[in-house]
Amino acid sequence: NEAAEQVAFADRILLNKTDLVPEAELPAIEERLRKLNPSATIFRCEKGQVDPKDLIGISSFDLRKTLDMDPEFLNTEGEHEHDNSVSSTSAKFEGFLNVKKLNMWISDIIQEMGANLFRYKGVLSVAGMDEKFVFQGVGMLFSGGFINAKWGPNETRENRFVFIGKDLDKEGLLKGFKECQCSEQLRFKIGDKVRARVGKDMAEADGYCPGVVIKTWDQGNAYRIQLQDSKKTNVWGPIDEDDFVKAA
């Protein structure tokens, strides 16, 4: 069922309202939870209060562990629906995504649709990166990043995702993902003079500063640019569009 599935995928389990249960009964409850998920840390708590450091920035996603619990994790065509009020949408397409656009879009949909998102997951091909980008989430709780698994030399670079929730805007989700697509072919090459959008403290009147491209596809960013200032400051041009980088 849904509750057991969420326990199985959890990295941290909050055993709440422990003040309302006799101490002697708690070990049996924890044992039932460990049978569902032996690797998750269980925190006893009251009123849901837990030290944030135990929940945030724990970098706990493990693809092998996830596949052990759900061999179909990477199969976006096999998701099930649990009742008539819940629907799912999935897609698969070849090509590359820009990681900056992707992060901005995911942040937007979590804010806009988080209350209706029951579960979502995906494996994505990010331009300029050999590693696969994996994400998963429940509601507004999102985890995603590059994992220690690279695209093979003969493996098709493709993007797969599935969203399960209530009143999903299926066309909007697919459109949002498609808008994150990009080409690995860039407009500028190393050595080209460009103008990079920067902060007000470094920008000229138009919001840009002159610079030179010194690297392409740097950590998923389209360009690394050395500004023509006294400090030779390095900045990223995350997206290959004039809003971020334009010709000098």
Side-chain angles (χ1 to χ4, degrees):
N1 59 41
E2 199 72 39
E5 186 174 286
Q6 291 192 25
V7 168
F9 275 90
D11 299 301
R12 300 288 188 269
I13 299 173
L14 307 187
L15 187 55
N16 197 29
K17 298 186 178 181
T18 53
D19 54 319
L20 304 180
V21 180
E23 175 77 20
E25 296 182 14
L26 293 177
I29 297 172
E30 292 173 335
E31 181 61 25
R32 289 181 63 188
L33 294 172
R34 289 194 178 95
K35 287 181 179 179
L36 290 171
N37 188 340
S39 63
T41 303
I42 300 173
F43 294 94
R44 296 182 182 183
C45 58
E46 300 175 13
K47 299 180 180 179
Q49 296 185 1
V50 179
D51 192 327
K53 69 178 177 60
D54 292 323
L55 305 177
I56 299 173
I58 55 178
S59 302
S60 58
F61 181 80
D62 186 324
L63 181 61
R64 291 184 179 86
K65 170 189 166 186
T66 300
L67 290 173
D68 286 342
M69 293 185 293
D70 181 5
E72 294 298 308
F73 180 84
L74 301 183
N75 177 16
T76 57
E77 299 175 353
E79 275 297 338
H80 53 282
E81 297 175 10
H82 300 280
D83 60 56
N84 292 332
S85 67
V86 177
S87 65
S88 66
T89 183
S90 63
K92 178 172 67 175
F93 53 88
E94 296 182 12
F96 301 92
L97 300 181
N98 180 284
V99 69
K100 177 68 173 180
K101 284 187 174 181
L102 177 67
N103 284 330
M104 291 190 298
W105 180 74
I106 289 178
S107 177
D108 287 342
I109 64 166
I110 289 175
Q111 294 297 320
E112 296 171 6
M113 303 171 59
N116 289 332
L117 291 176
F118 297 162
R119 186 184 177 199
Y120 44 100
K121 62 183 183 180
V123 180
L124 310 175
S125 166
V126 171
M129 297 296 293
D130 293 330
E131 292 78 13
K132 297 180 179 182
F133 186 99
V134 174
F135 74 88
Q136 65 174 343
V138 176
M140 299 184 74
L141 299 177
F142 168 81
S143 173
F146 296 101
I147 62 171
N148 188 27
K150 295 185 177 182
W151 294 96
N154 299 317
E155 185 176 7
T156 300
R157 296 282 297 247
E158 63 182 14
N159 303 278
R160 290 170 280 169
F161 72 88
V162 61
F163 284 81
I164 307 169
K166 183 177 180 180
D167 301 325
L168 293 179
D169 179 2
K170 297 183 179 183
E171 291 186 3
L173 288 170
L174 181 57
K175 180 175 181 288
F177 256 111
K178 290 281 190 178
E179 289 177 349
C180 295
Q181 283 187 289
C182 68
S183 170
E184 279 204 313
Q185 299 298 315
L186 299 174
R187 295 176 298 160
F188 306 112
K189 62 182 183 298
I190 294 174
D192 282 352
K193 294 181 178 181
V194 296
R195 293 182 64 79
R197 181 175 289 279
V198 294
K200 292 181 179 180
D201 56 329
M202 294 186 292
E204 297 181 351
D206 63 352
Y208 293 79
C209 181
V212 176
V213 175
I214 60 173
K215 191 173 183 180
T216 57
W217 289 124
D218 187 28
Q219 299 182 42
N221 296 279
Y223 304 103
R224 177 185 286 271
I225 299 166
Q226 185 177 88
L227 301 182
Q228 302 302 289
D229 60 0
S230 60
K231 298 180 180 179
K232 302 295 183 182
T233 305
N234 280 206
V235 298
W236 276 322
I239 300 173
D240 189 22
E241 296 176 356
D242 279 353
D243 285 343
F244 298 87
V245 183
K246 62 183 182 179

